[in-house]
Amino acid sequence: MLDQKLFLDDEGVDRVAKALGDRNMKFDLSPVRELVGRRRKLRSEGDELKNKLNLGSKEIGNLMRDGKKAEAETQKASMKTLSESIAALDAKIREVEGELEGHLLMIPNIPHEDVPVGPDESANVEIKRWGSPPSFDFEAKDHVDVGEKLGILNFERAARITGARFAMLAGQGARLERALASFFLDLHVAEHGYTEIFLPFMANRTSFIGSGNLPKFEDDLFRVEPMGYYMIPTAEVPLTNVYRDEILSEDELPKKFCAYTACFRSEAGAAGKDTRGLIRQHQFQKVELYKYATPETSWAEHESLTRDAERVLEILELPYRKVLLCTGDMGFSSAKTYDLEVWLPGQETYREISSCSNCVDFQARRANLRYRPAARKKGTELVHTLNGSGLAVGRTLVAILENYQRSDGKVNVPEALKDYMKADVIG
């Protein structure tokens, strides 16, 4: 959520309006500015009345001490009326704050100045490429053909069990899924210094508001009745809320977590896209990287988090490219995002396998995530939150089946996974 102070003057409103325009979003900011101004005026009036109440209460004490009981009783009646006025004013403030929050929760984060302005993915900027796409002396197949021929992927049975956009992995396919998750976690804990954390796969509405998924993206979520919980679309949701409404000390930061979870997405806005295979599923597994950092260190932490995700691809020897997303392609809560895209021979293109974002204080303001700077005894500041996939397990499995496929239909196991798989070859 954006700082309400941005809406107190023309300069702040213009800044938000430009950010929305850069994101290809239309949003009438006049109600927000009016509500911010009204809230400020009402609070000022309330402070004035409360000051009068405090002074009047002291005066009653003085009158009683001086034996002026009748005058004290008159003053008490006046203070009662004043208290009622304050209560009515507080109710108005709460009403205005509720209406204001409803608007603010729908406004996305302001892109960082480094983010290129553009309407969609066509304006993204490639930062680097690593590795070379494999050269085959046979026609490369996509992961569906490879996996189904090996008997390790089955979409028909999954659809019978549940429906479209689900998959069943069997034998070495299931083992590869498990091996990848274990490899990711072991690497991030042992070499990158993250603390592994296991989280619920459901979260309440407050948690989803804190992460920025609600109220705007409700149609993309699976709701669980009758509890009113939601299935998480990414571990970013629960990870954002681990320290909700708490105050951390500066010496605790940065906090670095990695979490393996199932993820659930309705893909409401993706009808007809990637209907074949594992690329876009209602359920998939992912290892998420998450950081809580100070404002002074968050940009350096963003670069290192992205580097941690890149390292996974390099160890697995999967060709990829790093892309800086433009304003029209970045996520709602993000101020700056790098996408890592892995090469898929079956599609002859790069596809996203990790998205690494710095949300600065946007989520922290929604979830009330604060820290106390070491130089202060009083006062707090909002933390900065960062997240990224380290990596998406299903898409990494896709990349391995396609990049390591052989002419005989079998698939070589990447060197880093051989101990986990207890095999050199799949098939």
Side-chain angles (χ1 to χ4, degrees):
M1 190 158 59
L2 298 182
D3 190 343
Q4 294 181 21
K5 293 176 182 177
L6 287 168
F7 300 93
L8 290 173
D9 55 42
D10 290 339
E11 183 179 354
V13 173
D14 289 346
R15 183 185 174 199
V16 177
K18 181 183 183 305
L20 290 170
D22 290 344
R23 281 178 170 269
N24 296 326
M25 294 184 66
K26 293 182 179 180
F27 200 101
D28 184 6
L29 297 176
S30 55
V32 181
R33 185 166 188 184
E34 189 275 329
L35 287 166
V36 169
R38 198 192 322 169
R39 176 179 176 270
R40 191 181 194 189
K41 182 180 178 182
L42 289 171
R43 280 195 161 186
S44 179
E45 292 175 7
D47 290 342
E48 186 177 338
L49 291 180
K50 288 170 184 175
N51 186 51
K52 286 183 179 180
L53 183 64
N54 290 335
L55 293 174
S57 298
K58 290 179 181 178
E59 186 178 348
I60 290 171
N62 292 334
L63 290 171
M64 292 294 288
R65 188 180 63 248
D66 295 340
K68 299 178 181 180
K69 188 175 180 180
E71 293 179 39
E73 291 301 322
T74 301
Q75 184 72 355
K76 284 181 181 179
S78 177
M79 292 302 99
K80 181 180 179 183
T81 301
L82 192 58
S83 294
E84 291 171 351
S85 297
I86 291 171
L89 197 60
D90 285 343
K92 286 184 181 179
I93 292 172
R94 288 192 296 272
E95 183 180 341
V96 169
E97 287 178 336
E99 189 176 350
L100 175 60
E101 184 179 73
H103 287 287
L104 291 174
L105 289 176
M106 301 297 287
I107 301 175
N109 204 353
I110 294 175
H112 187 266
E113 59 186 13
D114 291 345
V115 175
V117 176
D120 51 41
E121 62 183 11
S122 64
N124 293 343
V125 177
E126 184 176 308
I127 304 298
K128 66 177 273 192
R129 290 195 182 198
W130 185 93
S132 300
S135 178
F136 299 112
D137 57 4
F138 58 92
E139 184 178 352
K141 299 181 176 63
D142 72 5
H143 68 282
V144 177
D145 289 337
V146 173
E148 288 185 336
K149 185 177 180 180
L150 290 172
I152 63 174
L153 267 181
N154 196 304
F155 297 96
E156 181 182 347
R157 287 196 172 96
R160 188 186 311 159
I161 296 166
T162 310
R165 293 191 188 270
F166 289 90
M168 186 184 84
L169 301 173
Q172 287 180 299
R175 190 177 188 90
L176 179 57
E177 170 96 11
R178 178 160 53 92
L180 285 168
S182 296
F183 166 63
F184 295 165
L185 291 169
D186 289 346
L187 176 68
H188 293 311
V189 171
E191 295 190 22
H192 299 154
Y194 291 81
T195 298
E196 183 178 351
I197 185 170
F198 193 77
L199 298 154
F201 294 175
M202 303 180 203
N204 57 37
R205 187 175 185 85
T206 301
S207 294
F208 274 81
I209 290 172
S211 63
N213 296 81
L214 286 177
K216 187 171 179 60
F217 302 104
E218 187 144 11
D219 289 345
D220 293 325
L221 305 173
F222 287 110
R223 184 179 171 91
V224 181
E225 298 294 358
M227 296 86 81
Y229 300 152
Y230 296 84
M231 304 301 295
I232 61 170
T234 165
E236 176 191 348
V237 176
L239 284 168
T240 300
N241 290 274
V242 170
Y243 294 101
R244 188 177 73 221
D245 297 325
E246 293 187 37
I247 299 173
L248 301 169
S249 60
E250 186 173 359
D251 60 10
E252 293 180 82
L253 301 174
K255 281 187 175 292
K256 301 167 57 175
F257 294 113
C258 60
Y260 170 68
T261 66
C263 305
F264 305 87
R265 299 182 185 178
S266 73
E267 300 291 353
K273 295 181 181 178
D274 295 313
T275 55
R276 178 176 168 85
L278 293 169
I279 295 296
R280 199 179 295 273
Q281 297 271 289
H282 287 314
Q283 177 190 317
F284 60 96
Q285 285 63 246
K286 182 156 65 82
V287 170
E288 186 77 359
L289 306 178
Y290 200 92
K291 294 184 180 183
Y292 295 82
T294 65
E296 292 77 17
T297 62
S298 74
W299 293 110
E301 293 294 345
H302 184 216
E303 296 295 327
S304 68
L305 182 148
T306 306
R307 182 65 197 136
D308 293 339
E310 290 181 73
R311 183 68 182 135
V312 181
L313 290 165
E314 291 170 9
I315 292 174
L316 292 174
E317 300 183 75
L318 293 171
Y320 72 92
R321 66 175 189 163
K322 177 182 176 181
V323 176
L324 175 61
L325 299 193
C326 72
T327 53
D329 197 33
M330 61 196 296
F332 181 83
S333 296
S334 176
K336 182 178 179 180
T337 298
Y338 292 116
D339 268 9
L340 304 181
E341 299 177 350
V342 68
W343 175 256
L344 298 183
Q347 296 185 17
E348 296 187 329
T349 191
Y350 289 94
R351 295 300 301 265
E352 180 212 329
I353 197 167
S354 175
S355 192
C356 302
S357 301
N358 187 352
C359 298
V360 294
D361 60 6
F362 187 82
Q363 291 177 321
R365 187 171 284 107
R366 298 168 75 108
N368 193 26
L369 298 167
R370 295 169 293 160
Y371 78 100
R372 181 166 284 111
R376 295 188 201 168
K377 290 186 178 180
K378 294 183 179 180
T380 61
E381 291 186 21
L382 293 168
V383 302
H384 281 194
T385 59
L386 306 94
N387 67 82
S389 303
L391 301 165
V393 177
R395 292 195 177 193
T396 310
L397 187 147
V398 167
I400 289 171
L401 293 184
E402 295 195 8
N403 282 277
Y404 282 86
Q405 63 182 293
R406 305 186 338 187
S407 59
D408 61 2
K410 297 181 180 181
V411 176
N412 289 326
V413 175
E415 190 66 35
L417 296 178
K418 288 180 178 179
D419 287 343
Y420 290 93
M421 288 292 294
K422 308 300 182 189
D424 295 339
V425 177
I426 299 172

